[in-house]
Amino acid sequence: MAALENAVVLVTGGGRGLGRAHCLELAAQGAAVVVNDPGVGRDGDGGGAGPAADVVAEIKAAGGNAVPHTGSVTSWTDAADMVRTAVSTFGTLTGVVNNAGILRDEMITSATEQAWDAVIAVHLKGTFAVTRHACDFWRAQAKAGRQIDAHIVNTVSGAGLWGNIGQSAYSAAKAGIAGLTAVTALEMRRYGVAVNAISPLALTRMSAQFFSDRGSDPALDPACASPVVAWLQSAESSWLTGQILRIDGGKLSRVDGYTEAPHHYPAADGARLQYGEIGQAVSWLWGTAPRGLAGPLPVR
């Protein structure tokens, strides 16, 4: 029995790059796949049914089962229709891979409202819209007494975790997806839904400019991330939720969220920090001392 034999997974942005690799791996593991891709360019312009249809053809040629969907994740009604398509075609939906994305890189001083809105709409709103409709389906199923073992895999990025020059909108969107992953995991655990994210390093049309010196590096093959995605869609992973996994070629790492450093600087009066001691406090927290002091201050 294949690992995902009874799974039905919706993959957004499934026509190219990472999404295509995920679709092929999911199908190879036995899942039926809804391949969503409106066929737009790297910047979100244009469109066409070709990419989604091509991946569906690949899956079927290999003996798998798949159906195309060309709606946009930025459309509330299209997102709802993706879920309906899975259920009407395959009888259910067991998982979502939120992978759709575009790039419109601009420095913060030249960033435009239009570019910002477009990037946020695809990455952040799109992830939310598809997630919301899928979760609504699973919640209704759970309330009807059905046993749910569902999985969401979101896509974040090093740019969202640590920032990147020229990518204010993309980084903000990916950071937002990390937060959305944590919240959805907390809210949906009671209904049997595990929610995690991946942060993959991969050479795609979106990332080509950043890896121009590593174009032939097999570690950047988008398919390197796909077995992790498939595992996160399996019952074996259901215990794990609210987490981010970093994938760099053959290396898998755990990404921890924001944590409070172990040391703290107490107020002089023990109750409230005064303006005059903030500089001293911050310098101590970062391991340096304000000018005029011999060294880091001791903890009171």
Side-chain angles (χ1 to χ4, degrees):
M1 179 177 177
L4 300 178
E5 184 171 334
N6 297 316
V8 177
V9 184
L10 162 63
V11 181
T12 69
R16 302 184 181 100
L18 281 162
R20 172 182 172 274
H22 298 341
C23 289
L24 296 177
E25 178 67 23
L26 288 163
Q29 295 297 334
V33 184
V34 178
V35 182
N36 164 256
D37 201 305
V40 299
R42 180 177 181 270
D43 61 357
D45 289 338
D54 290 346
V55 174
V56 168
E58 283 189 78
I59 291 173
K60 289 185 173 182
N65 204 357
V67 63
H69 192 287
T70 58
S72 171
V73 295
T74 65
S75 165
W76 192 254
T77 55
D78 283 358
D81 190 61
M82 295 173 202
V83 174
R84 283 195 298 269
T85 296
V87 176
S88 63
T89 305
F90 302 115
T92 191
L93 176 71
T94 67
V96 168
V97 179
N98 284 305
N99 170 77
I102 65 169
L103 279 182
R104 293 191 184 182
D105 292 348
E106 298 171 328
M107 298 295 285
I108 196 71
T109 51
S110 58
T112 63
E113 181 182 15
Q114 180 185 22
W116 173 277
D117 288 347
V119 172
I120 296 294
V122 174
H123 288 278
L124 186 52
K125 179 189 174 182
T127 297
F128 166 70
V130 175
T131 294
R132 192 273 190 188
H133 290 295
C135 287
D136 190 47
F137 169 75
W138 291 320
R139 179 176 178 270
Q141 294 285 296
K143 285 186 171 292
R146 296 179 177 85
Q147 187 69 34
I148 301 300
D149 183 21
H151 304 82
I152 295 175
V153 180
N154 293 329
T155 309
V156 298
S157 166
L161 300 172
W162 304 293
N164 195 38
I165 293 173
Q167 293 193 309
S168 57
Y170 179 75
S171 296
K174 290 302 189 184
I177 292 170
L180 179 62
T181 299
V183 173
T184 311
L186 291 170
E187 293 184 356
M188 292 303 295
R189 187 166 198 163
R190 73 185 70 178
Y191 300 113
V193 182
V195 187
N196 295 287
I198 60 164
S199 173
L201 272 73
L203 180 62
T204 67
R205 61 180 183 152
M206 285 181 59
S207 65
Q209 68 188 79
F210 302 106
F211 295 123
S212 58
D213 59 338
R214 294 178 59 187
S216 59
D217 188 345
L220 294 177
D221 185 343
C224 290
S226 299
V228 178
V229 170
W231 183 82
L232 287 171
Q233 289 293 334
S234 73
E236 187 180 353
S237 74
S238 298
W239 61 273
L240 184 71
T241 194
Q243 304 304 311
I244 299 174
L245 296 177
R246 179 83 163 165
I247 307 155
D248 183 359
K251 296 185 295 183
L252 183 66
S253 304
R254 169 182 172 177
V255 176
D256 287 332
Y258 294 111
T259 58
E260 187 174 0
H263 304 297
H264 70 279
Y265 183 101
D269 63 6
R272 178 179 177 179
L273 290 164
Q274 302 300 315
Y275 179 88
E277 64 182 322
I278 302 300
Q280 180 173 278
V282 172
S283 295
W284 183 85
L285 290 172
W286 264 263
T288 62
R291 183 176 296 178
L293 295 180
L297 296 173
V299 176
R300 293 188 180 91

